[in-house]
Every structure is written in structure tokens, then in C-alpha cells.
């Protein structure tokens, strides 16, 4: 019998903690977007979040895709960034924020199903229960009695969740023979290039940018883009998709917490219950 390394649990905990930084920072994107960026330029925000960061990382790694990886990077970059972000903003514009976030919370369950389909991973009952609890917790956290439903917005939200879920599983299923930094550079650049023509056609040119606008774009590109996705893809290279995916539920938790701490937004007892349920669902999803 092979003894388990005493450092293995610590290493896994460290990997989870580093990966969880990504969705925690993504929770700040809403605040930065609303407080520092021009209104009604969602695709421009997505483009400037992906392409400059990807190009910067490419300059650092100095390595381009090769062989079949050109196609694979285009697919996962398109899913994780271009398609996901585009559908996310459609959902956000057509639905109240709470409804959009609740619809997006279905992503961990989609990952569980895709991981079974593509990688043959058994579906664990705890993963399903954690996914359902996560949806309920996010609903309590962000939904309001005035929330309305729009079929196109719901479809876009589900499509965005499915796009990132598929990109998450494929990023692990097609594990490239390169470091996570290189894979992150490839995906961000591919996603940004795919967004470029659509942005130029659809999104109006932003007005003259202020210092606050430039700082907001810089934060989204370097921190919300390059750093967080490096940590995210590093986690995917070391952990299973069904372990990593539930961590995205931390994003609305941090978004609401930042709104309360920095913008003076109220927290109701139901929202506090949502906090507890989401955190419990993330904890449950990590149980072996």
C-alpha cells in the first residue's frame, strides 16, 4: 500500500485557496464597472479586459500555439471569454442583476454533467446537492421581490453558463503541454481577437476617457483578467473541473459584500442566509 504524502492535503488546500481568489476578484468587476467605466459599452469592457492582458502575457511567455492547439485554443478561448462574456452582458441587460446571477449559478451542475460525459467522472451526490444549494443560496443573496423574467435574458444566462462550463471542462480535458501562464495567454488573446470584430460592429466608441476610466480598464485587464485567469487555469490544471467550478459562486458573495462595505448597500436577513448557504454549498462541493 502506498502511503499518502502528508503534504498532499495542504497542497490541495493551497490550490483551492489560490483558485478561489479568481472568483473573489470577479465579484469586484460589477463595482468597478459601475463606478469607474463609461456606461453602455459592455463588449468594449470585455475586449479591453481580455485582449491587452493576453498580448501582455504573450510577450512574457514568447510562445505561440502549435499544431492542433491553434484550433483548441480558439474553441476554449471563444467559450471562456468571447461567448461567455457576450451572453453574460445580454443577460445582464435584459434581466435584473439578481435573476441573471441566479441563472448563472447553474454552471457547477452543467460542469458535473459535462465532466461525466467527456471525462467519464462519476457523478457524486454531494456535487449535485451542493450545486442545487448554491443556486438557492445565490437566489436568496441577490433576488428581490421586484425581479422580472425575460425569456431572451434567461436563455442568454443559461447559454453563458453553459459556455463557461464547457470551456472549464475542455480546459482540463485538453490539458496542453505548457505552463498555466502560457495557456492563459493563449486563451485571453484568442478570446479578445474573437471579440474584436463584433465589438467594432456593435459597440459604440466610448467617449473621451477620464483618469478613472483608464484606471478601471487597467484593473479589469491586469487584475480581473490576467491575474485571475492565471490562477483559474492553474487550478484547473491541478484540480478536477467539478472541484473548481463551484468556486464561481463566491463571485456574487463578494459582489454583495463589497456593495455593503463600500457603497453602503443594505443587507437583509435573507441575504445573510444566502451567504451562509452559498458558503456551505462551496464547502460541500469540496468533500471527497
Amino acid at each position: 500500500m502506498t502511503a499518502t504524502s502528508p503534504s498532499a492535503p495542504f497542497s490541495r488546500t493551497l490550490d483551492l485557496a489560490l483558485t478561489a481568489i479568481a472568483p473573489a476578484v470577479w465579484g469586484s468587476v460589477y463595482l468597478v464597472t459601475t463606478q469607474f467605466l463609461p456606461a453602455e459599452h459592455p463588449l468594449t469592457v470585455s475586449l479591453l479586459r481580455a485582449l491587452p492582458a493576453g498580448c501582455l502575457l504573450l510577450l512574457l511567455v514568447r510562445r505561440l500555439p502549435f499544431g492542433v492547439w491553434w484550433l483548441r485554443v480558439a474553441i476554449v478561448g471563444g467559450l471562456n471569454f468571447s461567448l461567455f462574456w457576450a451572453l453574460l452582458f445580454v443577460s445582464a441587460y435584459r434581466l435584473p442583476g439578481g435573476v441573471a446571477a441566479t441563472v448563472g449559478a447553474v454552471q457547477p451542475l452543467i460542469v458535473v454533467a459535462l465532466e461525466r460525459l467527456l471525462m467519464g467522472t462519476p457523478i457524486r451526490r454531494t456535487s449535485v446537492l451542493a450545486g442545487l444549494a448554491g443556486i438557492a443560496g445565490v437566489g436568496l443573496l441577490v433576488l428581490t421581490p421586484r425581479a422580472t423574467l425575460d425569456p431572451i435574458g434567461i436563455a442568454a444566462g443559461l447559454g453563458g453558463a453553459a459556455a463557461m462550463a464547457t470551456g472549464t471542462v475542455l480546459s482540463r480535458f485538453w490539458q496542453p503541454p505548457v505552463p498555466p501562464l502560457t495557456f492563459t495567454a493563449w486563451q485571453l488573446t484568442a478570446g479578445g481577437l474573437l471579440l474584436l470584430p463584433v465589438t467594432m460592429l456593435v459597440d459604440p466608441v466610448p467617449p473621451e476617457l477620464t483618469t478613472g476610466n483608464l484606471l478601471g480598464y487597467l484593473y479589469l485587464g491586469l487584475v480581473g483578467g490576467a491575474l485571475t485567469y492565471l490562477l483559474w487555469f492553474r487550478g484547473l490544471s491541478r484540480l478536477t473541473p467539478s472541484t473548481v467550478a463551484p468556486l464561481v459562486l463566491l463571485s456574487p458573495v463578494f459582489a454583495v459584500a463589497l456593495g455593503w462595505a463600500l457603497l453602503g448597500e443594505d443587507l437583509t436577513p435573507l441575504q445573510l442566509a444566502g451567504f451562509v448557504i452559498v458558503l456551505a454549498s462551496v464547502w460541500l462541493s469540496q468533500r471527497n
Side-chain angles (χ1 to χ4, degrees), residues 10-241:
F10 173 78
S11 177
R12 185 177 186 275
T13 301
L14 179 62
D15 289 337
L16 283 169
L18 289 174
T19 308
I21 292 174
V25 172
W26 295 339
S28 68
V29 168
Y30 174 78
L31 184 146
V32 172
T33 300
T34 57
Q35 300 299 311
F36 292 95
L37 300 184
E40 299 181 356
H41 295 280
L43 291 179
T44 298
V45 172
S46 300
L47 175 66
L48 294 179
R49 187 179 173 189
L51 190 55
C55 292
L56 176 62
L57 292 183
L58 274 182
L59 289 174
L60 292 176
V61 302
R62 298 188 177 185
R63 186 173 185 181
L64 293 174
F66 49 89
V68 71
W69 287 104
W70 285 102
L71 176 60
R72 290 181 176 179
V73 166
I75 292 173
V76 292
L79 289 168
N80 282 324
F81 300 107
S82 311
L83 187 58
F84 170 62
W85 281 346
L87 291 174
L88 178 68
F89 280 113
V90 171
S91 176
Y93 273 110
R94 298 190 68 100
L95 296 172
V99 178
T102 305
V103 172
V106 75
Q107 182 185 322
L109 289 177
I110 300 175
V111 166
V112 169
L114 289 175
E115 195 177 31
R116 172 62 179 171
L117 179 65
L118 296 178
M119 303 174 67
T121 305
I123 295 178
R124 297 183 297 121
R125 183 179 301 177
T126 53
S127 295
V128 176
L129 291 175
L132 294 173
I135 295 172
V138 170
L140 289 174
L141 188 63
V142 298
L143 283 179
T144 66
R146 297 183 301 276
T148 57
L149 301 181
D150 173 82
I152 295 177
I154 294 290
L158 290 174
M164 187 173 179
T166 306
T168 295
V169 175
L170 288 179
S171 294
R172 178 57 189 264
F173 184 61
W174 290 337
Q175 189 66 46
V178 295
L181 181 62
T182 303
F183 196 30
T184 304
W186 291 354
Q187 288 205 50
L188 280 169
T189 304
L193 289 174
L194 289 170
L195 277 169
L196 182 59
V198 179
T199 302
M200 294 177 67
L201 288 172
V202 175
D203 225 11
V205 178
E208 184 177 348
L209 299 178
T210 66
T211 301
N213 297 156
L214 294 174
L215 290 175
Y217 283 126
L218 190 64
Y219 174 83
L220 290 184
L222 295 181
V223 181
L227 175 61
T228 55
Y229 280 98
L230 171 59
L231 294 173
W232 185 253
F233 292 127
R234 176 193 177 276
L236 277 173
S237 71
R238 296 165 178 257
L239 304 164
T240 64

Side-chain angles (χ1 to χ4, degrees), residues 248-262:
V248 300
L249 300 179
L250 296 175
S251 184
V253 168
F254 277 85
V256 172
L258 287 172
W260 170 76
L262 301 180

